Amino acid sequence: MIDLRSDTVTRPTAGMREAMATAEVGDDVYGEDPTVAALEAEVAELFGHEAALFAPTGSMANQIALQLVVPVGDELLCDADAHVVTYEVGAAAAYGGISSRTWPAVGAEIDPDLVAAMIRPDGYFAVPTRAIAVEQTHNRGGGGVIPLPTLRRLREVADEHGLALHCDGARIWHAHVADGVPLREYGRLFDTLSVCLSKGLGAPVGSLVIGSAEKIARARFLRKRMGGGMRQVGVLAAAGRYALAHHVQRLAEDHARAARLAEAVAPFGVLANPVRTNIVPLDLTKHPLDARQFAAAARAEGVLVSVLGPRTARLVTHLDLTDDAVTRATESLTRTLRA
Ligand SMILES: Cc1ncc(COP(=O)(O)O)c(C=O)c1O
């Protein structure tokens, strides 16, 4: 089976396992795990922030960050397809008491003026807007990259209204490689970021919340409250450090392989939008197969794909694929879509 469902399906490489096996560890709830501390310092430095906090998942990292920037009962603005309101099972409301309001999602495109027009001020009757969240790259937006000028304009909008700006940067590495924007340049635009080591970078688990020293001190408390205080977790932080050292620049290979897949399916009129990174979004509205039928037929041809909606599906490239596997996948998918 060639697994194109997600970039989370990767298994640790031999080098990564070696790094995990030899990691120095301690009890991180006591703040005594040197490998975790090194990872946190390294990631904070990469993004030009004061501090970072290791968290078990991207969802927890996002939710900690949202609780840092939106008080209970106040409002977060994001797009309707954002992971934080689509796939985090209502956590912002359930844990943070956060009221979320969305603007219509158009891939990774954002109209900062539209966002500005949605902002509600403080007031006796209003739900005051406190933060804006964006996703870089955008998962349901087909791996699209928000251009730097748009993010800069959004930062201005946030500053004009005294709002925080959060980045769900689960795949910010892909944006960095695709657009050549330094991670620090992204870092300086946001009050908080969450980044993942387990999507595309190949670590088995692990995400970080990034922000000021004050925010991250509070984040440590919130993580514990959410049950995310971990003990000798340096074995996982070591996998993350290995991933950062070895698996960021190679994402260009995943992007090239996604482009090959896109080229193979495009003649069937199913490419939802141009491919920028490692996600190939499929729109089967005009195809005889719906998404479930397509996934079943692809499986029969030896390829696993993700179903995102009745007529939408997704192919994702990652570290565990070879050029040969991608060639076989293009052949299988061509047969599936032709049938
Ligand atoms: C954009 C984005 N943010 C956050 C997450 C959440 O990560 P996790 O599955 O580690 O909770 C994901 C997961 O795929 C994601 O794609």
Side-chain angles (χ1 to χ4, degrees), residues 312-331:
T312 52
R314 184 183 78 170
L315 317 171
V316 187
T317 57
H318 52 75
L319 184 61
D320 283 10
L321 293 173
T322 58
D323 274 330
D324 181 50
V326 172
T327 302
R328 283 183 287 124
T330 57
E331 290 161 3

Side-chain angles (χ1 to χ4, degrees), residues 59-102:
S59 300
M60 191 187 284
N62 272 334
Q63 294 303 325
I64 289 171
L66 296 184
Q67 289 176 51
L68 289 175
V69 293
V70 186
V72 172
D74 290 359
E75 184 178 81
L76 170 76
L77 297 180
C78 63
D79 79 81
D81 269 350
H83 196 280
V84 291
V85 289
T86 310
Y87 294 129
E88 296 183 14
V89 291
Y95 294 130
I98 293 169
S99 184
S100 301
R101 200 153 49 94
T102 58

Side-chain angles (χ1 to χ4, degrees), residues 282-305:
L282 302 183
D283 175 356
L284 296 152
T285 314
K286 295 188 184 128
H287 196 271
L289 298 176
D290 67 21
R292 284 196 182 287
Q293 290 165 333
F294 169 67
R299 176 185 273 269
E301 287 280 356
V303 178
L304 300 177
V305 307

Side-chain angles (χ1 to χ4, degrees), residues 102-255:
T102 58
W103 67 82
V106 190
E109 284 173 33
I110 299 176
D111 176 354
D113 293 333
L114 182 140
V115 177
M118 289 176 70
I119 295 167
R120 286 178 176 145
D122 267 334
Y124 183 60
F125 296 102
V127 182
T129 308
R130 299 295 185 205
I132 301 167
V134 299
E135 194 169 306
Q136 182 78 308
T137 64
H138 202 292
N139 181 346
R140 282 184 64 89
V145 183
I146 309 166
L148 193 57
T150 306
L151 292 175
R152 287 196 175 130
R153 176 69 197 120
L154 215 51
R155 179 69 260 177
E156 285 169 9
V157 167
D159 287 344
E160 281 157 21
H161 294 84
L163 307 184
L165 195 57
H166 169 68
C167 179
D168 175 350
R171 295 182 184 79
I172 200 163
W173 327 104
H174 300 73
H176 159 64
V177 168
D179 273 7
V181 174
L183 294 172
R184 262 177 177 261
E185 187 67 35
Y186 284 135
R188 61 195 285 275
L189 291 171
F190 297 102
D191 299 278
T192 53
L193 300 97
S194 65
V195 298
C196 291
L197 304 166
S198 59
K199 295 165 193 85
L201 296 196
V205 70
S207 298
L208 291 107
V209 190
I210 304 165
S212 66
E214 191 187 349
K215 280 196 171 59
I216 296 306
R218 171 81 184 152
R220 200 170 291 280
F221 169 81
L222 293 171
R223 182 187 65 178
K224 188 74 178 74
R225 176 184 275 171
M226 294 173 82
M230 301 177 287
R231 303 292 177 173
Q232 286 71 16
V233 76
V235 285
L236 296 178
R241 296 196 76 196
Y242 184 91
L244 288 174
H246 297 92
H247 296 163
V248 176
Q249 292 312 320
R250 68 148 301 285
L251 291 172
E253 291 172 34
D254 294 352
H255 298 177

